[in-house]
Amino acid sequence: MTRHAIRLACAALVLIGVQAATLHAQLPGQPRAQPVARLRTALPGFPDPIALDTVAQYREMKAPMGAVFSAALPAFKALDIPIAVRDSAHGTVGNLGWTKMRQLSGRPMSVSFNCGSGMTGPNADSYRLTIAAVVMIEGLPNGGSKVGIALVGSAQDVQGSAKDPVACGSTGFTELRIEELMRKALTP
């Protein structure tokens, strides 16, 4: 290793140590916050499990956690997203991996995912996708809720398994639709 590489590695270790100390810091007289289990999913085409809170789009909703949780259920149903995770205590609704082809919520898959393209057009429209979609809700001190919506996918060519699966990027369309449906359900 060169001196420069060693210095970079030492700096990274110091930074990791500072971040770890910051995460465990607490104010005097305050109880230590309990760690929340992270939702992770393993999809073909991704080398490592995906921590869904790191890919979620976050927004605030002016409704308590229970009401937001109740609004997420019909939003998933309206979009034909199967619910396999339903945990009101931790504010989690969604599915950590199901397969689907051609359409999601009545629209071509390429509206929601970018999986590259081939001679016939967007791969998302002709490949088999494995998808994870989750809403993560956290109550806020002001009575509202912090809502994270995550959608990730991977695609496999259905012409044969000789090709490796590919990771897909979300376009953000389905996340916005979930949010719109939830906000509509919360509106009196």
Side-chain angles (χ1 to χ4, degrees), residues 35-112:
V36 176
R38 297 178 92 177
L39 282 177
R40 296 178 191 270
T41 188
L43 299 178
F46 286 88
D48 296 308
I50 305 153
L52 294 172
D53 61 323
T54 64
V55 296
Q57 297 178 15
Y58 288 92
R59 63 262 301 141
E60 185 175 338
M61 294 190 181
K62 296 186 184 306
M65 187 174 158
V68 175
F69 179 85
S70 294
L73 298 170
F76 273 67
K77 184 175 181 179
L79 297 174
D80 292 324
I81 299 173
I83 297 174
V85 176
R86 185 185 314 220
D87 184 351
S88 61
H90 293 101
T92 308
V93 175
N95 195 314
L96 298 178
W98 84 99
T99 57
K100 187 97 170 124
M101 287 187 65
R102 294 186 182 76
Q103 292 190 340
L104 180 62
S105 309
R107 298 181 187 258
M109 281 288 191
S110 58
V111 171
S112 297

Side-chain angles (χ1 to χ4, degrees), residues 103-138:
Q103 292 190 340
L104 180 62
S105 309
R107 298 181 187 258
M109 281 288 191
S110 58
V111 171
S112 297
F113 292 101
N114 180 358
C115 306
S117 61
M119 292 179 62
T120 60
N123 290 338
D125 293 338
S126 59
Y127 282 25
R128 178 184 307 110
L129 271 68
T130 304
I131 305 166
V134 178
V135 171
M136 298 162 283
I137 308 156
E138 181 182 330

Side-chain angles (χ1 to χ4, degrees), residues 149-167:
I149 303 173
L151 184 76
V152 292
S154 66
Q156 177 71 52
D157 189 348
V158 295
Q159 299 298 320
S161 61
K163 294 182 182 177
D164 288 332
V166 295

